[in-house]
Structure formats: C-alpha cells, structure tokens
Amino acid sequence: MKFTTSAMALIVAASAATADDMITIEFAYPYSHLFDVTYEAMMPGFKEAHPNIDVKFRATYESYEDGTNTILRESVSGNLPDVTMQGLNRQQILVEKGIAQSLEPFIAKEADFEKDGYHDAMLSLSTFGDNVHGLPFSVSLPVGYYNMDVLNAAGIDKMPTTWDEVIAACETMNANGVDNPVFWGWNITGNWFMQALMWSQDKAIVENGKVTLDSPEALVALEQMQEIFTKCEMQNLEWKAALSSFSAGEIGMMFWSTSALGAVERSQGDFVLKTGPFPGLGDTPKGLPAGGNAAMLTSTSEDPAVQEAAWTFLKYITSGDGAAEVAKTTGYMPPNKAANEIILADFYDQNPNKQTAVDQLPLLRDWLAYPGDNGLAITQVIYDSIERIVTGDATDMKELQEEMVEEVNDLLPNS
C-alpha cells in the first residue's frame, strides 16, 4: 500500500515516539485499487489517536472469494491476521468454522456503543445467532454509470430505467458507430448481479438451505442476461479492463457496484459522468443485494494487549470518522449512522453521483451465501455458466438452467 509523504512522516514520527510500548497487529483487506486511498486517508488519524499501535498491512486480497480462501488456508497454517475485511456474503463460513471471533465481549465493555453510530440495522448484517461477529465497513448497491457525451451523441437524452430501455440504447449507439455500448457486470464478485436480477423479482437465490436456480425467476434472470449480452453485442471484458475502458470514455453505459465510483472519478476522461438507479425487469426492482464488507477479528494471539489493539483498530476504521473516509474516497455508503447523519451532512448534496445508491437503500436485501462448505464452488459453477452466455457457448437458457441446477445440487450439503 502506498502512502503520501506527509502521511508516512506522521506515522514514522508517532511510531518512534512510543517504540518501547508498541503493539503490532496485522491487517488484510481486498481490492487495493478501491481501498488503498481509503486507508491512506484513515491512518494518520488512527496513528495520532493510538501512537502505540503499529498496523502491519498484509498483501491485499484480489477479491472477496480470494479473501475467504486465504483466511481458510491461514487458519490451517496458523498464520491468521488479527483483523480481516471479508465480503458480507462470506462472513458465515468463518463464523461456522470458529475463525471469526464474537465481538460481544468487546462491545459489552463499550459505553453507549450504539450512540457511536452502530445501529441495529447495520449490525444485523454481521450478526449470527445472537452474536455480532463483524462491524460493517462499507455497503454498496448496483447502479448504472453513464457517459452522457456518448449517449447524447447517439441522440439519447435520458438514462434508461428498464433493461428493455438499456437494450434499445445499445442498439441506437451501435447504429451510431459505438463499438462497445455497454458493460454489464456479470463477473462481479459473488454472483452479485445474478442475485440482483433475482431480488429484482423479489426472489432470494437461497431459501431454506436450497439454491433456487430451478425457479421461474432464475430462468427469467438467465434470459434477461442473454438478451443484454447478445442484443448489445457486449464484449467479454475482464472487469478491471472494463472499468478502465469506461473511465477512458470508450463505453457508453456500465452497470457495476457503486463501490467503484471513486476510482472511476479519479481516472475519468473528459466526459460528463452520471449515475442512475439499477434498471428493472419492466419496472423498478423490488429489491437489490447489499454488497460490501465487514471487519472481523481473527487474531489468534493470547496476549490481551494484542486483542485489545486489534479491537481498537477494528472499531476505529468502522467508526463515524473512519466510515466517512469510505464515502469520500469510494462510492460505498458508510454503514455508520454517525458518518451519514453528522459528518457527511452536506456530502451527498455536493456529490449527486454518490447519492444514487443512497436513494436505493429501501431496496436493500441480503447478499446471500450458498450453504455448506462448497459455497465457493457453487459460486464458481454459476460464474462459469454465465460466462458461457457471454461467449455464446450457451444459447438455450432452459437447458443451461437444468445443467446449473444439477451441478449445484451435487455440491449442497446432504444432497
């Protein structure tokens, strides 16, 4: 992770001043291209408040899946970090395997914990049984990104609100010489967009321990993806390449997480960028999955001072001040009430592109994990199946659905 010279100077000075009492903890997080700038902004304040805690940053995880796989391996080798950031849909397996510790003993020692901004609605995202195992760090929802210069040049003066309108806009852009009018984020982590199309129909992808890929709603989702990919002539881009291509002004519309907004704005070419709500299947989505991640305590240290230092860091980065930096440097929404209501009181008025996801908060639904130890393998089955649609290898969606159901059922517990 790269820090500015001033930030590094502050950290070095604070560290040197209290070297004899220094406690070192280790921390790992995903998506360096999104979050490096966030932690760079946070760390000077943390070091000033806690000069005796030295935070060692481990190599970043490539994705949420990589983060979970890494933690599972490190739990076997005995090399866990003290604090880890994990996708909201990947927390459960770490709780079930006893890797993520309950935060209840630490919370119990805090005075007025909810008054610090941690209200029940957000804590519920990381509550399993009756115990909080993580503090939500960032929350995202899918949105549309629009290059208004490209759209306007093709005679399109308003953002689409349905997928039919998206396809019509694609066809108009294609007719006006736009080679790649759209990127639709099928390859985003955790089958998030598949779940978005399911929740748009008010259908969960997991119900009563079963994956609902055999449902009519799942078939509608597959057929909708096929229409977008084929009628928009969408190129099969790796997701980082797609983000770069959109930022360079080469793609007219991009559907992705609001999380990337900060990164897009920092690398944006000379064009007018607007965000809009995630389109619906004929009308407004009935729900959308909450993306994002949570801070979890995975320290194996038996030293109470290390445990307390890890909690102090975890609490700080999810606090009002820490969560505000998430909003300022990314497109994520802070799950901390103090950040939204006090620190960021005027922020969204001044940043309307970041307001889009906030407006969709009433649609927020769970980003669901697949049951059992094979949850990551199920994720890969669905990913591979969607890629077959993108490449044109799969053309019969009913047949593809049946193949997916068979493969996934083989991976479910007690099947």
Side-chain angles (χ1 to χ4, degrees), residues 32-55:
S32 61
H33 69 291
L34 297 181
F35 287 117
D36 278 2
V37 66
T38 305
Y39 292 112
E40 180 181 329
M42 282 185 189
M43 288 310 295
F46 178 77
K47 291 303 300 184
E48 185 175 4
H50 305 284
N52 65 317
I53 301 177
D54 179 39
V55 182

Side-chain angles (χ1 to χ4, degrees), residues 310-329:
W311 165 249
T312 298
F313 178 67
L314 187 157
K315 183 177 62 170
Y316 180 88
I317 61 178
T318 58
S319 69
D321 289 333
E325 294 298 346
V326 174
K328 293 174 183 177
T329 57

Side-chain angles (χ1 to χ4, degrees), residues 4-303:
T4 60
T5 302
S6 59
M8 280 298 297
L10 178 58
I11 292 171
V12 170
S15 298
T18 58
D20 292 342
D21 302 320
M22 190 65 64
I23 300 169
T24 299
I25 62 171
E26 298 193 2
F27 173 59
Y29 65 93
Y31 299 124
S32 61
H33 69 291
L34 297 181
F35 287 117
D36 278 2
V37 66
T38 305
Y39 292 112
E40 180 181 329
M42 282 185 189
M43 288 310 295
F46 178 77
K47 291 303 300 184
E48 185 175 4
H50 305 284
N52 65 317
I53 301 177
D54 179 39
V55 182
K56 179 180 177 182
F57 285 79
R58 291 190 175 184
T60 52
Y61 309 132
E62 178 69 19
S63 65
Y64 290 142
E65 286 80 11
D66 178 45
T68 303
N69 274 322
T70 300
I71 287 292
L72 291 173
R73 289 195 305 270
E74 289 171 345
S75 71
V76 175
S77 63
N79 187 37
L80 286 165
D82 296 291
V83 179
T84 179
M85 286 294 182
Q86 294 289 317
L88 294 177
N89 68 325
R90 299 299 177 195
Q91 299 175 91
Q92 185 172 344
I93 189 171
L94 303 188
V95 174
E96 290 175 347
K97 290 186 175 294
I99 298 171
Q101 299 176 32
S102 169
L103 300 181
E104 294 294 337
F106 299 95
I107 292 173
K109 297 177 184 177
E110 298 288 334
D112 300 323
F113 188 70
E114 287 189 9
K115 291 182 181 178
D116 288 335
Y118 305 98
H119 50 101
D120 289 341
M122 289 306 178
L123 288 180
S124 68
L125 296 172
S126 298
T127 298
F128 300 87
D130 294 324
N131 291 322
V132 174
H133 281 80
L135 294 185
F137 176 69
S138 58
V139 175
S140 63
L141 284 167
V143 297
Y145 292 74
Y146 300 95
N147 182 326
M148 297 309 296
D149 291 6
V150 171
L151 268 65
N152 292 164
I156 303 167
D157 58 6
K158 64 177 183 177
M159 294 179 286
T161 59
T162 68
W163 297 116
D164 285 346
E165 291 178 2
V166 167
I167 292 169
C170 282
E171 293 172 339
T172 299
M173 283 186 279
N174 274 328
N176 283 272
V178 179
D179 292 332
N180 194 19
V182 72
F183 176 73
W184 193 88
W186 71 271
N187 46 8
I188 201 166
T189 183
N191 310 141
W192 200 45
F193 270 28
M194 177 72 181
Q195 293 201 29
L197 290 182
M198 297 281 284
W199 274 128
S200 290
Q201 304 169 75
D202 204 24
K203 182 68 173 181
I205 202 168
V206 177
E207 293 178 346
N208 301 316
K210 298 296 182 182
V211 181
T212 61
L213 289 174
D214 58 350
S215 65
E217 290 87 352
L219 181 59
V220 167
L222 295 174
E223 290 173 341
Q224 183 63 79
M225 281 187 272
Q226 184 184 37
E227 284 198 7
I228 295 169
F229 301 155
T230 56
K231 293 183 178 179
C232 287
E233 300 179 16
M234 193 184 84
Q235 297 174 18
N236 185 22
L237 297 178
E238 186 267 338
W239 64 272
K240 285 185 179 178
L243 293 181
S244 296
S245 186
F246 180 82
S247 296
E250 298 166 351
I251 296 175
M253 302 179 291
M254 179 175 71
F255 298 96
W256 194 255
S257 166
T258 186
S259 63
L261 182 55
V264 169
E265 289 177 334
R266 287 189 291 273
S267 59
Q268 179 186 339
D270 185 16
F271 64 88
V272 175
L273 168 67
K274 288 188 178 180
T275 62
F278 198 66
L281 291 149
D283 53 16
T284 302
K286 295 180 174 64
L288 291 171
N293 55 63
M296 308 189 84
L297 187 68
T298 52
S299 179
T300 56
S301 174
E302 296 182 0
D303 184 346

Side-chain angles (χ1 to χ4, degrees), residues 339-408:
N340 280 317
E341 296 180 0
I342 303 171
I343 301 169
L344 298 173
D346 301 321
F347 177 77
Y348 289 108
D349 288 340
Q350 299 165 8
N351 294 271
N353 278 337
K354 294 185 177 182
Q355 179 70 40
T356 299
V358 177
D359 291 341
Q360 294 184 133
L361 278 175
L363 302 178
L364 191 147
R365 303 288 188 273
D366 286 342
W367 185 15
L368 296 164
Y370 305 120
D373 290 342
N374 292 322
L376 289 170
I378 293 172
T379 301
Q380 191 63 45
V381 167
I382 297 173
Y383 179 101
D384 292 342
S385 299
I386 298 173
E387 186 168 32
R388 290 181 59 199
I389 308 174
V390 179
T391 60
D393 179 57
T395 57
D396 185 326
M397 294 302 98
K398 183 63 177 175
E399 181 179 299
L400 179 65
Q401 180 186 34
E402 292 170 355
E403 292 172 1
M404 291 171 67
V405 169
E406 183 177 356
E407 287 188 65
V408 168

